Amino acid sequence: MFKKILIANRGEIAVRILRACRELGIRSVAVYSEADRAAMHVLSADEAYPIGPALATESYLSIPKILQAAKLSGADAIHPGYGFLSENAQFAQACADARIKFIGPTPAAMEKLGSKTRARQQMEKAGIAVVPGSSRGLPSKEDAVKVAAKIGYPVMLKAAAGGGGKGMRLVQDARQLPAAFETAQSEALRAFGDGEVYLEKAILNPRHIEMQVLADEHGNTVYLGERECSVQRRHQKVLEEAPSPQVDPELRRRMGEVAVRVAQAGEYSNAGTVEFLVDQDRNFYFLEVNARLQVEHPVTELVTGLDLVHLQIRIAAQEKLPFCQEDVRLRGHAIECRIYAEDPENNYFPSPGKITLLAEPAGPGIRHDSGIYEDWTVPSEYDPLLAKLIGYGSDRGQAVARLERALDEYFVGGIKTNISLFRRILADADFRAGRVDTGYLERLLAQARSNPDPQQASVVAIAAGLFAMLDSRAAGLGNGSKAASADDSWSSWKRAARFEGISRTDLRPVAGRGSGPSTHSQ
Ligand code: MV4
């Protein structure tokens, strides 16, 4: 087993991986940019090394800087997390050259699956259903028009080097195609340094369902069930759940078996995700492989009872999978809310800044994977994901109820967050019925725009009144206690206000205030 692992990442995922290292008795090494000196992952690691300026290309994305920190610290393995260098085959190769184990698939597998046209060719050879389309780069717009006529409109123009919707274009008819081809090609060249584009038939209102796979370095591959990821906006996932309310055991088995064949065709090892598009008739098509641990991995952990990061580390240490497919059992239901520093009032624009107040949810069936703490300043340089709130229950209804309860306990002060969005989603009839596709969230938000919350103005007025009262109480004027007995529906505002008032005046929130220390020990 490894003695020391360097985590080439930041934020909540770095903290998640550090915890796994601690549990396995492995020393952990954090790396940090100038913007992250005081970040949570730096505070919780055994050791931490600075790797340069805030700009990611000069720190978290710099292969030489990361490898230098690995050598200085004597780490024998690197966990890349997600994003940054996690799917960079060159980085995986550079680790191998430096005799440091990269915790992930081999550079060859990453290369094979990194190009979408290459991946499609592999899968076609293995007899796996891909979305109908071309599996080679299109040399010219004339070729594109020819191929599109054969596939039938509407079509999707995609960059071979793209992924996650970047460089993708929906084309309705032949007249639009030449111009779309030109822009897609130059965009792809600029964004990925590779202008290769190809065509797929467009699947309308698809659902995005992905299958978790795990493969050891001895040829054993299993699937761990699916995640429903359709609740997203502009290719940013917002909420994910396992299992998908739209997948029955038979469909799960078929998708799982295809996902295992995809992994085997790609000579894949370690943890990976096979993405599918599912159409309105429940046909599913292979889309791409995400060759990394994903943000939403906790929902799979909760319904399988497995620790994916432990397993990644054990696989990288050449251990065999400690179970087989028949041993994998799904139990209960888990839903993850991605908590972002974003302003719901300003089109969910990033909202970094200092966290002046933080009340974190806990309790039965709640997992909170976070990379933040009170008084820390969320830097503006990186993805604004703050934390993930995951609710687990014996069924979907209980998972939803626990999440709603936890959202009421949750308060982040000083910055804007998207927490309110989850109250809306969890209360929505379509969501509760499991009727979600990739257009779901845009529809919900459009509905909210044309139909704003009539209580919003009252919430603002009540909050302003409350804070004014608490301020006067803190200053020793008047009696603010009456303010706290407003309508029940503002309970989290009341709690936050009370909390803030108490911390400001340094009183303790216990009964028998002023009568000496409490004798309770639980
Ligand atoms: C598609 C598609 C429809 N037809 N491909 C977007 C992200 C990338 N991984 C693939 N994406 C799509 N590919 C064909 N042939 C629709 C999408 C798509 C989508 C996919 C997954 C999750 C959200 C999405 C939102 C819009 C479009």
Side-chain angles (χ1 to χ4, degrees), residues 116 120 131-132 155-156 158 163-166 168 170 199-209 229-230 232-237 275-277 287-288 290 438-439:
K116 297 171 54 155
R120 282 171 61 91
V131 186
V155 293
M156 212 49 114
K158 295 188 176 185
K166 263 178 277 167
M168 198 178 80
L170 178 64
L199 278 170
E200 285 180 7
K201 179 150 191 74
I203 312 285
L204 300 177
N205 303 319
R207 281 172 273 162
H208 177 187
I209 299 179
C229 300
S230 297
Q232 56 81 45
R233 197 165 87 110
R234 300 182 184 167
H235 305 301
Q236 174 158 284
K237 291 171 187 163
E275 281 190 18
F276 295 101
L277 282 185
L287 206 54
E288 55 192 86
N290 298 136
T438 51

Side-chain angles (χ1 to χ4, degrees), residues 286-302:
F286 165 75
L287 206 54
E288 55 192 86
V289 175
N290 298 136
R292 59 170 190 270
L293 180 72
Q294 288 198 264
V295 177
E296 59 271 27
H297 77 276
V299 294
T300 299
E301 295 190 315
L302 290 170

